[in-house]
Every structure is written in structure tokens, then in C-alpha cells.
Amino acid sequence: MNGEWLIMNERFEIIVPTLFGLESLVSRELYRIGYDVTRVENGRVTFMGDYDAVCRANIWLRCGERVLIKVGEFKAETADELYEGVKALEWDNFIDRNDAFPVKGRTTRSKLASDRSSQIMIKKAIADKLGEEYGISWLPEDGVTYQVQFTIINDVVTLMIDTTGAALHKRGYREKSNIAPLRETIAAAMVMLNHWKYENPFADPFCGSGTIPIEAAMYKRNIAPGLKRRFSFMDFPQIPEDMIKDVLEEAQSEINYDIYPDINASDIDKDAVELTKQNAIKAGVGDCIKVSVKDARKLYFSEPYGTIITNPPYGERLSDVEECRKLYGEIGKTFAALDKWSYYILTSHENFEREFGRRADKRRKLYNGMLKCCLYQYYGTPHSKKKRSEK
């Protein structure tokens, strides 16, 4: 392994895969932590960085899915072209003679249509390259694991090394969840897309396992989402332990414990409420989330201004679709009474606005995993009046 090259502040391309619809938020996050985005595509954001950037991106990104080091990119239409293109890359800059390098990925709209065949060919090419570089015929693969990721899209092959491990949405505070959990990255995006001021109350009346209120509290307190978990890069010899320690200590120092946002989490399910309490404590925000058993159809707040961000049942989680439609109509009437509040509602239900009884001021398409959803955004009276006057 070329050790000198690896510990220098060498810059390389870093790719952050995202759920569709979150690319702009990830770009904004990267800019906030000090990096300029060089490329934005559907489902991925690319920027230039070094190993310090790998540490920071993994620990700080709320809406990205992974942090991948780009090893190379080329066009390939045949198995031979794939093999030669992979073998030409400098894998020994990352992978030592004893290290493991499992391969996984996908092909889309390409002549190389088989994921499995491409995976086998890429594995063989990397093994042959490393064998030649180290002068050995057998690679034990009992050292550090470097997960190799590939995509082949429109015949363009991209090879990457995963520095994350378990996906970024797995923060570590939610070992248990309810039946249909909301992905943490989507919950964070919902919080970041609104203009909630922490001095005003915040509510999630369908809190489930507490993902939205927990992400809201972490965001307002500036708690790095990756602060309490391990990543693959922490085992890479290229990244000094002091570098990791410095980034973690800096993130710890950035937490604002003086902020106590007024966050209200409620659910009609007692077990969900208890789960939210446990998860909030584990996330370190149990002291700023009020959790209670409440029926969302009877929601009431005395404060004139506030924000509701919630993920109600879609219909997939209810055996009776008619029951779901009725629920939307009932919460529509309840929310209408909170006329100065803003509310942001995520659902995959296509006729939500009709059932809810009001057209959204703004809509945004998002994906909860592979499920296509829409974030319906309703603004309080001051915003609505302004909007009507401009017509």
C-alpha cells in the first residue's frame, strides 16, 4: 500500500447518495460544513474532499445515505471492457494485501445488464490487480474491510469505496421502532424544509417511534447525527485516530445545551409513546421533548403560533382504506382550528388534499425508502394572507 500517499491531504471525489428529492438539502449541508459541491444528479451529490472531509461528512450529514470515495469512472459495454477498466484503477492506494474487499452494486439501462455478473467481474479484476501489485497469487482477505460499491448507468461504470458501513439514517438511537418507521433522513429533511423557530411550539401528533421530534431536537441543538455511532472509516489505517478524535470532539463542542425547544410528541398508541420516550433519551434529547398519549383528532394548543410536522398513516398501515380517508378529514378540521400554525404532512396518499379539505400552499415530492410520497406544506394565517393579496 502506498502509505505516504494515503496519509497526505490528498483531495479526491466523494459521492453522497441520497433519496430522491433530498439532493439540494445535502448540497446545503455540505456547504455548511465547508465543502463546495461539484456535481448534483438524481440521487447523488459529489464534492471534492480529503480524509478529514470523509470524517466530517459521515458525522454531520443529516439527509445523505452514505459517504463514498470515488476510485474511478469509465465507459464499458462488454465484460472485457469492464474488467480492463476496473483493473487499471489504483486499488492498492486503498486496499492492502490482507484486506477484504466485498463488491456490490447495480446496473441500470446498460448493455451490462446483470448485477451478479458485473459483481463477479469487478471482484476478479480487483483481485488480479492487487495480486500483481503485491506479488502474491492468493489474497487472504482477513484484514480491514473495504466495501466496494459500483453503479453502471447508461454504460458508465463508477467504482467507489464505502466509508460509512450501516447507512447514515441509522443514527443508533432507534434500535426498536413501530411497524412502519419513517427513515431518519426523511424526518430530518422535513424539519430542515420548514421555518420553525424554536421559541414557538412544535408538534408531531403521530409520533410513532419519535423520529420526527427527535430529529427536530437534534437539529435545533446542533447535535451531529453520527456522533454516537461507528463508521467503517474508523477502521481505515489511512485515517489517523487523532483526526477522528478531533472531529468528534469538535462536534461535541458544537452542541448547544442552552436551547430547550418546545417539542410535543404524541400518539394514540401507548406503546408508541413509551418507545418515543426511550428513543429520545438514547438520542440525548429526552429533556426537550414532551411525550403524551393523545388523539390527533382532538389536538389543541393555546399558543397562537406553532408548527406541526407529522407522518400520519398512509393507508398501507391501515387495513381499511376508508378509515384512513376518514382520519384525514377529521384531522383536517382539527388543524384548521390552528389557523396561525403551519403544518407539514408527509403521506403517499394521492388524494390527501381532497380528504384533508384544503389544498397545500406548496408540495414537494420525497421518497420514504422506495415509497413515493408528497410533503404537503400549509402555512399559517400571516403567510396565507400575504399569498392571497399577491394574487
Side-chain angles (χ1 to χ4, degrees), residues 53-315:
V54 167
C55 297
R56 294 179 186 279
N58 273 294
I59 290 166
W60 277 105
L61 288 180
R62 300 180 190 279
C63 298
E65 289 300 309
R66 295 186 175 276
V67 178
L68 310 171
I69 296 175
K70 182 177 174 181
V71 180
E73 190 171 85
F74 55 88
K75 187 170 184 178
E77 297 181 353
T78 67
D80 286 343
E81 290 176 342
L82 177 63
Y83 175 85
E84 295 299 333
V86 173
K87 191 178 178 185
L89 299 176
E90 297 179 332
W91 293 102
D92 55 308
N93 277 338
F94 302 96
I95 305 171
D96 209 345
R97 63 179 66 231
N98 293 319
D99 294 337
F101 51 100
V103 177
K104 64 180 179 181
R106 59 185 176 84
T107 65
T108 306
R109 303 185 300 275
S110 298
K111 293 181 177 63
L112 291 164
S114 170
D115 293 351
R116 179 59 178 165
S117 297
S118 298
Q119 177 185 355
I120 293 171
M121 186 60 69
I122 291 170
K123 178 76 175 184
K124 175 175 171 50
I126 298 173
D128 289 349
K129 174 61 178 276
L130 293 174
E132 290 178 7
E133 289 294 328
Y134 296 127
I136 54 179
S137 59
W138 179 71
L139 300 168
E141 295 198 57
D142 56 1
V144 175
T145 297
Y146 291 86
Q147 175 66 62
V148 176
Q149 299 254 29
F150 73 88
T151 61
I152 307 177
I153 303 174
N154 294 323
D155 299 322
V156 176
V157 183
T158 306
L159 278 301
M160 301 154 287
I161 289 177
D162 179 22
T163 71
T164 302
L168 289 178
H169 73 264
K170 296 182 179 180
R171 319 286 206 216
Y173 64 75
R174 199 178 68 173
E175 293 182 0
K176 297 180 180 179
S177 62
N178 56 345
I179 297 175
L182 178 69
R183 190 171 291 199
E184 290 88 334
T185 43
I186 288 290
M190 293 169 70
V191 172
M192 295 168 66
L193 284 168
N194 76 83
H195 302 288
W196 167 53
K197 297 179 180 179
Y198 76 86
E199 61 267 24
N200 292 333
F202 173 104
D204 177 6
F206 296 96
C207 68
S209 55
T211 311
I212 293 175
I214 290 171
E215 291 294 325
M218 292 177 66
Y219 181 61
K220 289 301 179 182
R221 277 194 168 170
N222 201 34
I223 299 175
L227 195 55
K228 293 186 176 182
R229 55 159 287 183
R230 282 196 59 81
F231 298 93
S232 293
F233 75 81
M234 291 176 171
D235 295 323
F236 292 3
Q238 297 94 324
I239 303 180
E241 290 184 13
D242 286 348
M243 179 183 290
I244 299 172
K245 181 182 177 182
D246 288 347
V247 174
L248 289 172
E249 288 181 351
E250 181 184 349
Q252 186 69 43
S253 70
E254 291 288 324
I255 300 174
N256 190 343
Y257 289 105
D258 294 330
I259 289 180
Y260 289 89
D262 183 6
I263 298 177
N264 301 270
S266 60
D267 202 290
I268 200 170
D269 185 342
K270 293 181 180 179
D271 292 337
V273 168
E274 186 58 36
L275 192 55
T276 295
K277 289 180 181 178
Q278 295 173 12
N279 290 341
I281 292 170
K282 191 165 186 178
V285 293
D287 61 335
C288 56
I289 300 178
K290 304 171 193 170
V291 189
S292 60
V293 178
K294 286 184 182 178
D295 187 336
R297 296 166 295 187
K298 300 175 182 179
L299 193 68
Y300 172 78
F301 289 97
S302 57
E303 295 89 345
Y305 298 100
T307 298
I308 294 172
I309 302 180
T310 195
N311 176 225
Y314 297 167

